Amino acid sequence: MRLRLAAFDLDGTLAEIGAGMTEQNLSLLRHLEARGIQIAICSGKPTDYLCGFARQLALHRPALVGENGAVVQLGADLPPKIYSIQPYSEQAKQSLVFLRAELDRLLPDLWYQPNLAGLTPFPRNDAEFEIIADCLARNAQHLRGVTIYRHADSFDIAPDTIDKYSGMQHLGRMLDIPPEETAAVGDGVNDYPMFDYAGYAIGVHVADESRVDVNVPDITQALIHLTAMAE
């Protein structure tokens, strides 16, 4: 394939949660960009968080897809010069308002990621994880129009019309790069839509190997694989 765009999940893929990239992997990523490949970070984190991470990479012009596809921007500037926020249904908005009220009642001092769309609570311990999981299960009939992802450190409750597929699709249109010239790299279930979009998918130790073209043990091997594709 002709590779023009490489999109990476952040946590568990480019870097461990709360950590930066290793010098070796950063060098490989910059080399990939030097080969003419557009680099994108596609994450559940908001784009302002991704901006802080991306600035440290010293890439020419990274693309950022935040909140599991809800917000897309070009470059790492704040405020962004070129960006888009995807719309979502009134039903999803009502579900998110309802859930926030329920969680505020159960865990009034819970911390939430500052999203522009969706709801991302961060429990502090196993007990809070189970309280949130129980709340989601008990109120399933009220949560229409949303998709729920459980991560190692949080829950993402996102509008079901928005995911990493739709985010990457929007980015591809902005950059005029088709799916067949795009590779996606990720490690979790919320990356599966991104895998479905891209012409080539690389899993970083993903559980379901059927979702990817190749499954590698770590990001170093993924970057080496992409560099070979770009030669």
Side-chain angles (χ1 to χ4, degrees):
M1 66 177 290
R2 180 190 181 196
L3 180 61
R4 295 176 60 202
L5 169 62
F8 299 86
D9 173 53
L10 176 53
D11 291 327
T13 302
L14 278 181
E16 295 305 313
I17 294 175
M21 292 185 68
T22 67
E23 286 299 324
Q24 177 190 17
N25 290 337
L26 183 52
S27 177
L28 288 167
L29 189 69
R30 289 171 178 164
H31 178 71
L32 193 62
E33 185 187 56
R35 299 292 301 175
I37 309 305
Q38 169 70 56
I39 304 299
I41 303 174
C42 187
S43 171
K45 292 291 192 292
T47 50
D48 56 356
Y49 181 97
L50 299 181
C51 282
F53 182 85
R55 279 196 294 270
Q56 301 305 310
L57 304 181
L59 297 174
H60 175 63
R61 194 195 191 195
L64 307 177
V65 180
E67 297 180 38
N68 290 304
V71 185
V72 180
Q73 79 171 67
L74 301 183
D77 296 323
L78 280 179
K81 294 181 175 64
I82 302 175
Y83 72 97
S84 178
I85 303 171
Q86 294 200 58
Y88 55 98
S89 69
E90 189 62 33
Q91 183 181 58
K93 292 177 184 178
Q94 292 174 2
S95 295
L96 293 167
V97 169
F98 169 84
L99 181 59
R100 177 62 189 260
E102 284 296 293
L103 291 177
D104 283 347
R105 180 177 62 82
L106 295 168
L107 296 167
D109 57 349
L110 192 61
W111 189 83
Y112 296 85
Q113 182 172 283
N115 291 342
L116 296 175
L119 192 66
T120 305
F122 277 76
R124 290 163 292 192
N125 50 51
D126 290 344
E128 290 190 350
F129 256 108
E130 293 314 309
I131 289 171
I132 296 172
D134 179 67
C135 178
L136 292 169
R138 283 188 293 102
N139 292 289
Q141 72 275 19
H142 299 295
L143 303 180
R144 307 287 185 180
V146 297
T147 300
I148 299 168
Y149 301 105
R150 179 168 177 165
H151 305 299
D153 60 345
S154 63
F155 291 83
D156 275 328
I157 301 94
D160 62 10
T161 55
I162 296 174
D163 57 18
K164 290 190 178 185
Y165 186 106
S166 64
M168 286 300 302
Q169 184 178 54
H170 192 72
L171 176 64
R173 290 171 181 160
M174 291 173 73
L175 297 172
D176 195 25
I177 298 177
E180 56 268 24
E181 297 178 356
T182 301
V185 185
D187 74 313
V189 294
N190 64 326
D191 296 316
Y192 291 172
M194 179 170 66
F195 295 155
D196 292 340
Y197 171 81
Y200 195 81
I202 301 177
V204 178
H205 200 60
V206 294
D208 185 355
E209 293 191 348
S210 70
R211 306 303 293 260
V212 296
D213 294 286
V214 61
N215 202 17
V216 297
D218 53 50
I219 185 59
T220 304
Q221 295 304 311
L223 288 165
I224 291 171
H225 190 82
L226 285 171
T227 300
M229 291 176 62
E231 296 296 336

